[in-house]
Amino acid sequence: MEWIVIAAVLTATAGLLVLGVLGCRLWLQVRVLAREVDGASRALAEAAGALAGHRR
């Protein structure tokens, strides 16, 4: 019966480690996506400013 408790603790620990790794990977991907969105929004703002200046 003791081995069942040990197996459950090891399984829970492994699950938490996997969730931690996946959380870190997600955080890194969100940072990359945020940089790309920021760059795209800046490019759109520049294009809109250039277009507004061109029309005048």
Side-chain angles (χ1 to χ4, degrees), residues 6-44:
I6 293 172
V9 169
L10 290 176
T11 303
T13 303
L16 288 174
L17 287 173
V18 168
L19 286 175
V21 168
L22 291 175
C24 288
R25 288 183 62 197
L26 177 65
W27 180 69
L28 291 173
Q29 289 297 319
V30 166
R31 284 182 54 198
V32 169
L33 179 63
R35 280 193 210 120
E36 291 178 5
V37 168
D38 183 54
S41 66
R42 288 177 193 268
L44 282 171

Side-chain angles (χ1 to χ4, degrees), residues 45-56:
E46 285 181 28
L51 183 61
H54 180 69
R55 286 188 176 192
R56 290 183 181 181

